[in-house]
PDB file of all heavy atoms in Angstrom:
ATOM      1  N   ILE A   1      63.079 117.246  72.400  1.00  0.00           N
ATOM      2  CA  ILE A   1      63.977 118.382  72.153  1.00  0.00           C
ATOM      3  C   ILE A   1      64.748 118.167  70.861  1.00  0.00           C
ATOM      4  O   ILE A   1      64.861 119.072  70.034  1.00  0.00           O
ATOM      5  CB  ILE A   1      64.922 118.590  73.350  1.00  0.00           C
ATOM      6  CG1 ILE A   1      64.117 119.012  74.574  1.00  0.00           C
ATOM      7  CG2 ILE A   1      65.990 119.623  73.026  1.00  0.00           C
ATOM      8  CD1 ILE A   1      64.894 119.000  75.861  1.00  0.00           C
ATOM      9  N   GLN A   2      65.262 116.956  70.667  1.00  0.00           N
ATOM     10  CA  GLN A   2      66.001 116.645  69.436  1.00  0.00           C
ATOM     11  C   GLN A   2      65.107 116.784  68.207  1.00  0.00           C
ATOM     12  O   GLN A   2      65.534 117.302  67.175  1.00  0.00           O
ATOM     13  CB  GLN A   2      66.598 115.240  69.516  1.00  0.00           C
ATOM     14  CG  GLN A   2      67.528 114.909  68.374  1.00  0.00           C
ATOM     15  CD  GLN A   2      68.743 115.815  68.317  1.00  0.00           C
ATOM     16  OE1 GLN A   2      69.302 116.181  69.346  1.00  0.00           O
ATOM     17  NE2 GLN A   2      69.158 116.188  67.133  1.00  0.00           N
ATOM     18  N   ARG A   3      63.849 116.359  68.329  1.00  0.00           N
ATOM     19  CA  ARG A   3      62.902 116.493  67.212  1.00  0.00           C
ATOM     20  C   ARG A   3      62.662 117.967  66.893  1.00  0.00           C
ATOM     21  O   ARG A   3      62.603 118.371  65.724  1.00  0.00           O
ATOM     22  CB  ARG A   3      61.586 115.799  67.561  1.00  0.00           C
ATOM     23  CG  ARG A   3      60.601 115.762  66.408  1.00  0.00           C
ATOM     24  CD  ARG A   3      59.456 114.798  66.678  1.00  0.00           C
ATOM     25  NE  ARG A   3      58.802 115.026  67.945  1.00  0.00           N
ATOM     26  CZ  ARG A   3      57.647 115.693  68.092  1.00  0.00           C
ATOM     27  NH1 ARG A   3      57.048 116.211  67.039  1.00  0.00           N
ATOM     28  NH2 ARG A   3      57.103 115.854  69.278  1.00  0.00           N
ATOM     29  N   GLY A   4      62.557 118.818  67.925  1.00  0.00           N
ATOM     30  CA  GLY A   4      62.394 120.251  67.714  1.00  0.00           C
ATOM     31  C   GLY A   4      63.597 120.864  67.016  1.00  0.00           C
ATOM     32  O   GLY A   4      63.456 121.674  66.095  1.00  0.00           O
ATOM     33  N   ILE A   5      64.796 120.465  67.432  1.00  0.00           N
ATOM     34  CA  ILE A   5      66.023 120.957  66.788  1.00  0.00           C
ATOM     35  C   ILE A   5      66.080 120.524  65.334  1.00  0.00           C
ATOM     36  O   ILE A   5      66.427 121.312  64.446  1.00  0.00           O
ATOM     37  CB  ILE A   5      67.263 120.490  67.579  1.00  0.00           C
ATOM     38  CG1 ILE A   5      67.315 121.213  68.929  1.00  0.00           C
ATOM     39  CG2 ILE A   5      68.537 120.698  66.779  1.00  0.00           C
ATOM     40  CD1 ILE A   5      68.356 120.681  69.879  1.00  0.00           C
ATOM     41  N   GLU A   6      65.711 119.279  65.073  1.00  0.00           N
ATOM     42  CA  GLU A   6      65.693 118.781  63.687  1.00  0.00           C
ATOM     43  C   GLU A   6      64.688 119.554  62.835  1.00  0.00           C
ATOM     44  O   GLU A   6      64.972 119.861  61.669  1.00  0.00           O
ATOM     45  CB  GLU A   6      65.349 117.284  63.663  1.00  0.00           C
ATOM     46  CG  GLU A   6      66.408 116.386  64.251  1.00  0.00           C
ATOM     47  CD  GLU A   6      67.651 116.263  63.395  1.00  0.00           C
ATOM     48  OE1 GLU A   6      67.598 116.561  62.186  1.00  0.00           O
ATOM     49  OE2 GLU A   6      68.692 115.868  63.951  1.00  0.00           O
ATOM     50  N   LEU A   7      63.536 119.903  63.396  1.00  0.00           N
ATOM     51  CA  LEU A   7      62.542 120.688  62.650  1.00  0.00           C
ATOM     52  C   LEU A   7      63.054 122.082  62.322  1.00  0.00           C
ATOM     53  O   LEU A   7      62.841 122.594  61.218  1.00  0.00           O
ATOM     54  CB  LEU A   7      61.231 120.774  63.441  1.00  0.00           C
ATOM     55  CG  LEU A   7      60.410 119.489  63.522  1.00  0.00           C
ATOM     56  CD1 LEU A   7      59.273 119.650  64.521  1.00  0.00           C
ATOM     57  CD2 LEU A   7      59.886 119.101  62.152  1.00  0.00           C
ATOM     58  N   ILE A   8      63.740 122.713  63.279  1.00  0.00           N
ATOM     59  CA  ILE A   8      64.325 124.032  63.034  1.00  0.00           C
ATOM     60  C   ILE A   8      65.342 123.952  61.901  1.00  0.00           C
ATOM     61  O   ILE A   8      65.341 124.777  60.983  1.00  0.00           O
ATOM     62  CB  ILE A   8      64.983 124.587  64.321  1.00  0.00           C
ATOM     63  CG1 ILE A   8      63.912 124.926  65.355  1.00  0.00           C
ATOM     64  CG2 ILE A   8      65.839 125.815  64.014  1.00  0.00           C
ATOM     65  CD1 ILE A   8      64.470 125.248  66.731  1.00  0.00           C
ATOM     66  N   CYS A   9      66.209 122.957  61.955  1.00  0.00           N
ATOM     67  CA  CYS A   9      67.246 122.805  60.927  1.00  0.00           C
ATOM     68  C   CYS A   9      66.643 122.499  59.556  1.00  0.00           C
ATOM     69  O   CYS A   9      67.076 123.065  58.551  1.00  0.00           O
ATOM     70  CB  CYS A   9      68.229 121.711  61.334  1.00  0.00           C
ATOM     71  SG  CYS A   9      69.243 122.173  62.756  1.00  0.00           S
ATOM     72  N   ALA A  10      65.666 121.603  59.518  1.00  0.00           N
ATOM     73  CA  ALA A  10      65.045 121.240  58.240  1.00  0.00           C
ATOM     74  C   ALA A  10      64.346 122.441  57.605  1.00  0.00           C
ATOM     75  O   ALA A  10      64.470 122.681  56.395  1.00  0.00           O
ATOM     76  CB  ALA A  10      64.057 120.101  58.440  1.00  0.00           C
ATOM     77  N   TYR A  11      63.618 123.223  58.404  1.00  0.00           N
ATOM     78  CA  TYR A  11      62.943 124.404  57.871  1.00  0.00           C
ATOM     79  C   TYR A  11      63.954 125.402  57.313  1.00  0.00           C
ATOM     80  O   TYR A  11      63.789 125.924  56.204  1.00  0.00           O
ATOM     81  CB  TYR A  11      62.086 125.080  58.951  1.00  0.00           C
ATOM     82  CG  TYR A  11      61.491 126.385  58.474  1.00  0.00           C
ATOM     83  CD1 TYR A  11      60.333 126.399  57.708  1.00  0.00           C
ATOM     84  CD2 TYR A  11      62.108 127.600  58.750  1.00  0.00           C
ATOM     85  CE1 TYR A  11      59.797 127.590  57.245  1.00  0.00           C
ATOM     86  CE2 TYR A  11      61.581 128.794  58.296  1.00  0.00           C
ATOM     87  CZ  TYR A  11      60.425 128.782  57.544  1.00  0.00           C
ATOM     88  OH  TYR A  11      59.916 129.967  57.085  1.00  0.00           O
ATOM     89  N   THR A  12      65.012 125.663  58.070  1.00  0.00           N
ATOM     90  CA  THR A  12      66.014 126.642  57.650  1.00  0.00           C
ATOM     91  C   THR A  12      66.722 126.175  56.388  1.00  0.00           C
ATOM     92  O   THR A  12      66.963 126.956  55.459  1.00  0.00           O
ATOM     93  CB  THR A  12      67.028 126.890  58.778  1.00  0.00           C
ATOM     94  OG1 THR A  12      66.300 127.259  59.955  1.00  0.00           O
ATOM     95  CG2 THR A  12      67.997 127.992  58.418  1.00  0.00           C
ATOM     96  N   GLN A  13      67.053 124.900  56.334  1.00  0.00           N
ATOM     97  CA  GLN A  13      67.722 124.338  55.151  1.00  0.00           C
ATOM     98  C   GLN A  13      66.832 124.456  53.917  1.00  0.00           C
ATOM     99  O   GLN A  13      67.296 124.864  52.843  1.00  0.00           O
ATOM    100  CB  GLN A  13      68.075 122.879  55.426  1.00  0.00           C
ATOM    101  CG  GLN A  13      68.874 122.222  54.319  1.00  0.00           C
ATOM    102  CD  GLN A  13      69.476 120.919  54.785  1.00  0.00           C
ATOM    103  OE1 GLN A  13      70.095 120.860  55.826  1.00  0.00           O
ATOM    104  NE2 GLN A  13      69.283 119.876  53.997  1.00  0.00           N
ATOM    105  N   ASN A  14      65.563 124.131  54.059  1.00  0.00           N
ATOM    106  CA  ASN A  14      64.642 124.229  52.917  1.00  0.00           C
ATOM    107  C   ASN A  14      64.370 125.678  52.532  1.00  0.00           C
ATOM    108  O   ASN A  14      64.268 125.998  51.348  1.00  0.00           O
ATOM    109  CB  ASN A  14      63.317 123.526  53.235  1.00  0.00           C
ATOM    110  CG  ASN A  14      63.477 122.029  53.307  1.00  0.00           C
ATOM    111  OD1 ASN A  14      64.412 121.466  52.744  1.00  0.00           O
ATOM    112  ND2 ASN A  14      62.579 121.389  54.022  1.00  0.00           N
ATOM    113  N   ARG A  15      64.257 126.554  53.510  1.00  0.00           N
ATOM    114  CA  ARG A  15      63.929 127.963  53.240  1.00  0.00           C
ATOM    115  C   ARG A  15      65.059 128.688  52.525  1.00  0.00           C
ATOM    116  O   ARG A  15      64.824 129.501  51.644  1.00  0.00           O
ATOM    117  CB  ARG A  15      63.601 128.658  54.569  1.00  0.00           C
ATOM    118  CG  ARG A  15      63.176 130.099  54.451  1.00  0.00           C
ATOM    119  CD  ARG A  15      61.775 130.196  53.864  1.00  0.00           C
ATOM    120  NE  ARG A  15      61.293 131.540  53.904  1.00  0.00           N
ATOM    121  CZ  ARG A  15      61.396 132.396  52.885  1.00  0.00           C
ATOM    122  NH1 ARG A  15      61.978 132.035  51.769  1.00  0.00           N
ATOM    123  NH2 ARG A  15      60.928 133.617  52.991  1.00  0.00           N
ATOM    124  N   LEU A  16      66.310 128.392  52.925  1.00  0.00           N
ATOM    125  CA  LEU A  16      67.457 129.101  52.349  1.00  0.00           C
ATOM    126  C   LEU A  16      68.184 128.316  51.268  1.00  0.00           C
ATOM    127  O   LEU A  16      69.070 128.854  50.611  1.00  0.00           O
ATOM    128  CB  LEU A  16      68.451 129.460  53.459  1.00  0.00           C
ATOM    129  CG  LEU A  16      67.966 130.444  54.512  1.00  0.00           C
ATOM    130  CD1 LEU A  16      69.043 130.639  55.568  1.00  0.00           C
ATOM    131  CD2 LEU A  16      67.599 131.767  53.878  1.00  0.00           C
ATOM    132  N   ASP A  17      67.850 127.037  51.112  1.00  0.00           N
ATOM    133  CA  ASP A  17      68.508 126.172  50.134  1.00  0.00           C
ATOM    134  C   ASP A  17      70.022 126.097  50.388  1.00  0.00           C
ATOM    135  O   ASP A  17      70.837 126.233  49.479  1.00  0.00           O
ATOM    136  CB  ASP A  17      68.219 126.647  48.708  1.00  0.00           C
ATOM    137  CG  ASP A  17      68.591 125.596  47.672  1.00  0.00           C
ATOM    138  OD1 ASP A  17      68.572 124.401  48.018  1.00  0.00           O
ATOM    139  OD2 ASP A  17      68.933 125.975  46.529  1.00  0.00           O
ATOM    140  N   ILE A  18      70.385 125.922  51.667  1.00  0.00           N
ATOM    141  CA  ILE A  18      71.778 125.726  52.072  1.00  0.00           C
ATOM    142  C   ILE A  18      71.817 124.563  53.056  1.00  0.00           C
ATOM    143  O   ILE A  18      70.783 124.132  53.561  1.00  0.00           O
ATOM    144  CB  ILE A  18      72.380 126.977  52.751  1.00  0.00           C
ATOM    145  CG1 ILE A  18      71.612 127.334  54.026  1.00  0.00           C
ATOM    146  CG2 ILE A  18      72.447 128.149  51.797  1.00  0.00           C
ATOM    147  CD1 ILE A  18      72.297 128.354  54.899  1.00  0.00           C
ATOM    148  N   ARG A  19      73.005 124.067  53.324  1.00  0.00           N
ATOM    149  CA  ARG A  19      73.158 123.011  54.321  1.00  0.00           C
ATOM    150  C   ARG A  19      73.022 123.626  55.717  1.00  0.00           C
ATOM    151  O   ARG A  19      73.717 124.573  56.057  1.00  0.00           O
ATOM    152  CB  ARG A  19      74.518 122.337  54.174  1.00  0.00           C
ATOM    153  CG  ARG A  19      74.689 121.158  55.088  1.00  0.00           C
ATOM    154  CD  ARG A  19      76.030 120.454  54.821  1.00  0.00           C
ATOM    155  NE  ARG A  19      76.149 119.297  55.656  1.00  0.00           N
ATOM    156  CZ  ARG A  19      76.529 119.319  56.938  1.00  0.00           C
ATOM    157  NH1 ARG A  19      76.831 120.460  57.502  1.00  0.00           N
ATOM    158  NH2 ARG A  19      76.615 118.203  57.643  1.00  0.00           N
ATOM    159  N   PHE A  20      72.123 123.065  56.524  1.00  0.00           N
ATOM    160  CA  PHE A  20      71.912 123.520  57.891  1.00  0.00           C
ATOM    161  C   PHE A  20      71.579 122.274  58.721  1.00  0.00           C
ATOM    162  O   PHE A  20      70.434 122.001  59.040  1.00  0.00           O
ATOM    163  CB  PHE A  20      70.771 124.541  57.956  1.00  0.00           C
ATOM    164  CG  PHE A  20      70.787 125.414  59.183  1.00  0.00           C
ATOM    165  CD1 PHE A  20      71.399 126.652  59.149  1.00  0.00           C
ATOM    166  CD2 PHE A  20      70.198 124.995  60.371  1.00  0.00           C
ATOM    167  CE1 PHE A  20      71.417 127.467  60.270  1.00  0.00           C
ATOM    168  CE2 PHE A  20      70.215 125.798  61.496  1.00  0.00           C
ATOM    169  CZ  PHE A  20      70.828 127.037  61.451  1.00  0.00           C
ATOM    170  N   ALA A  21      72.617 121.503  59.052  1.00  0.00           N
ATOM    171  CA  ALA A  21      72.439 120.220  59.717  1.00  0.00           C
ATOM    172  C   ALA A  21      72.510 120.371  61.233  1.00  0.00           C
ATOM    173  O   ALA A  21      73.301 121.153  61.759  1.00  0.00           O
ATOM    174  CB  ALA A  21      73.502 119.241  59.245  1.00  0.00           C
ATOM    175  N   ALA A  22      71.702 119.593  61.915  1.00  0.00           N
ATOM    176  CA  ALA A  22      71.652 119.655  63.377  1.00  0.00           C
ATOM    177  C   ALA A  22      72.956 119.171  64.013  1.00  0.00           C
ATOM    178  O   ALA A  22      73.375 119.699  65.038  1.00  0.00           O
ATOM    179  CB  ALA A  22      70.484 118.829  63.899  1.00  0.00           C
ATOM    180  N   ASP A  23      73.595 118.195  63.408  1.00  0.00           N
ATOM    181  CA  ASP A  23      74.802 117.636  64.025  1.00  0.00           C
ATOM    182  C   ASP A  23      76.011 118.568  63.942  1.00  0.00           C
ATOM    183  O   ASP A  23      76.977 118.388  64.679  1.00  0.00           O
ATOM    184  CB  ASP A  23      75.141 116.276  63.409  1.00  0.00           C
ATOM    185  CG  ASP A  23      75.375 116.339  61.911  1.00  0.00           C
ATOM    186  OD1 ASP A  23      75.060 117.376  61.289  1.00  0.00           O
ATOM    187  OD2 ASP A  23      75.878 115.349  61.353  1.00  0.00           O
ATOM    188  N   SER A  24      75.958 119.573  63.089  1.00  0.00           N
ATOM    189  CA  SER A  24      77.082 120.510  62.990  1.00  0.00           C
ATOM    190  C   SER A  24      76.695 121.944  63.361  1.00  0.00           C
ATOM    191  O   SER A  24      77.520 122.846  63.271  1.00  0.00           O
ATOM    192  CB  SER A  24      77.673 120.488  61.576  1.00  0.00           C
ATOM    193  OG  SER A  24      76.691 120.830  60.626  1.00  0.00           O
ATOM    194  N   ALA A  25      75.462 122.151  63.789  1.00  0.00           N
ATOM    195  CA  ALA A  25      75.018 123.500  64.188  1.00  0.00           C
ATOM    196  C   ALA A  25      75.602 123.843  65.550  1.00  0.00           C
ATOM    197  O   ALA A  25      75.853 122.975  66.384  1.00  0.00           O
ATOM    198  CB  ALA A  25      73.498 123.562  64.240  1.00  0.00           C
ATOM    199  N   ARG A  26      75.812 125.129  65.761  1.00  0.00           N
ATOM    200  CA  ARG A  26      76.263 125.630  67.063  1.00  0.00           C
ATOM    201  C   ARG A  26      75.087 126.300  67.749  1.00  0.00           C
ATOM    202  O   ARG A  26      74.257 126.932  67.108  1.00  0.00           O
ATOM    203  CB  ARG A  26      77.392 126.625  66.896  1.00  0.00           C
ATOM    204  CG  ARG A  26      78.625 125.990  66.322  1.00  0.00           C
ATOM    205  CD  ARG A  26      79.704 127.014  66.109  1.00  0.00           C
ATOM    206  NE  ARG A  26      80.833 126.390  65.471  1.00  0.00           N
ATOM    207  CZ  ARG A  26      82.036 126.342  66.018  1.00  0.00           C
ATOM    208  NH1 ARG A  26      82.259 126.894  67.178  1.00  0.00           N
ATOM    209  NH2 ARG A  26      83.022 125.743  65.391  1.00  0.00           N
ATOM    210  N   ILE A  27      75.044 126.189  69.059  1.00  0.00           N
ATOM    211  CA  ILE A  27      73.999 126.851  69.822  1.00  0.00           C
ATOM    212  C   ILE A  27      74.503 128.239  70.182  1.00  0.00           C
ATOM    213  O   ILE A  27      75.511 128.381  70.866  1.00  0.00           O
ATOM    214  CB  ILE A  27      73.647 126.057  71.093  1.00  0.00           C
ATOM    215  CG1 ILE A  27      73.091 124.686  70.701  1.00  0.00           C
ATOM    216  CG2 ILE A  27      72.650 126.826  71.946  1.00  0.00           C
ATOM    217  CD1 ILE A  27      72.868 123.764  71.873  1.00  0.00           C
ATOM    218  N   SER A  28      73.820 129.275  69.699  1.00  0.00           N
ATOM    219  CA  SER A  28      74.257 130.635  69.998  1.00  0.00           C
ATOM    220  C   SER A  28      73.439 131.264  71.125  1.00  0.00           C
ATOM    221  O   SER A  28      73.875 132.222  71.739  1.00  0.00           O
ATOM    222  CB  SER A  28      74.194 131.515  68.756  1.00  0.00           C
ATOM    223  OG  SER A  28      72.864 131.725  68.375  1.00  0.00           O
ATOM    224  N   LYS A  29      72.240 130.719  71.387  1.00  0.00           N
ATOM    225  CA  LYS A  29      71.414 131.226  72.482  1.00  0.00           C
ATOM    226  C   LYS A  29      70.529 130.086  72.964  1.00  0.00           C
ATOM    227  O   LYS A  29      70.024 129.302  72.161  1.00  0.00           O
ATOM    228  CB  LYS A  29      70.561 132.402  72.025  1.00  0.00           C
ATOM    229  CG  LYS A  29      69.707 132.979  73.125  1.00  0.00           C
ATOM    230  CD  LYS A  29      69.016 134.294  72.808  1.00  0.00           C
ATOM    231  CE  LYS A  29      68.414 134.416  71.459  1.00  0.00           C
ATOM    232  NZ  LYS A  29      67.597 135.628  71.298  1.00  0.00           N
ATOM    233  N   LEU A  30      70.347 130.039  74.283  1.00  0.00           N
ATOM    234  CA  LEU A  30      69.542 128.979  74.862  1.00  0.00           C
ATOM    235  C   LEU A  30      68.771 129.545  76.048  1.00  0.00           C
ATOM    236  O   LEU A  30      69.367 130.142  76.939  1.00  0.00           O
ATOM    237  CB  LEU A  30      70.454 127.838  75.321  1.00  0.00           C
ATOM    238  CG  LEU A  30      69.809 126.591  75.881  1.00  0.00           C
ATOM    239  CD1 LEU A  30      69.033 125.869  74.792  1.00  0.00           C
ATOM    240  CD2 LEU A  30      70.889 125.672  76.444  1.00  0.00           C
ATOM    241  N   HIS A  31      67.461 129.387  76.034  1.00  0.00           N
ATOM    242  CA  HIS A  31      66.626 129.802  77.165  1.00  0.00           C
ATOM    243  C   HIS A  31      66.198 128.545  77.908  1.00  0.00           C
ATOM    244  O   HIS A  31      65.600 127.646  77.321  1.00  0.00           O
ATOM    245  CB  HIS A  31      65.382 130.542  76.701  1.00  0.00           C
ATOM    246  CG  HIS A  31      65.664 131.863  76.097  1.00  0.00           C
ATOM    247  ND1 HIS A  31      64.671 132.692  75.651  1.00  0.00           N
ATOM    248  CD2 HIS A  31      66.815 132.520  75.846  1.00  0.00           C
ATOM    249  CE1 HIS A  31      65.204 133.795  75.157  1.00  0.00           C
ATOM    250  NE2 HIS A  31      66.509 133.701  75.261  1.00  0.00           N
ATOM    251  N   LEU A  32      66.506 128.499  79.180  1.00  0.00           N
ATOM    252  CA  LEU A  32      66.098 127.381  80.021  1.00  0.00           C
ATOM    253  C   LEU A  32      64.934 127.828  80.885  1.00  0.00           C
ATOM    254  O   LEU A  32      64.855 128.982  81.296  1.00  0.00           O
ATOM    255  CB  LEU A  32      67.262 126.925  80.898  1.00  0.00           C
ATOM    256  CG  LEU A  32      68.507 126.475  80.131  1.00  0.00           C
ATOM    257  CD1 LEU A  32      69.641 126.191  81.093  1.00  0.00           C
ATOM    258  CD2 LEU A  32      68.220 125.259  79.281  1.00  0.00           C
TER     259      LEU A  32
END
């Protein structure tokens, strides 16, 4: 799960050229 979150953050950071770190991201939606 942590690896998946890191991949989401890395893609978003590279795509938008902004800081998007997993350790400071907020969860706005979660499907269990």
Side-chain angles (χ1 to χ4, degrees):
I1 294 169
Q2 188 62 38
R3 186 167 52 100
I5 291 171
E6 292 289 341
L7 288 170
I8 291 170
C9 291
Y11 174 82
T12 306
Q13 185 166 310
N14 290 337
R15 183 72 173 95
L16 295 177
D17 194 27
I18 61 168
R19 185 176 183 279
F20 200 94
D23 59 348
S24 59
R26 295 177 184 240
I27 297 173
S28 68
K29 181 170 42 171
L30 184 67
H31 292 182
L32 301 174

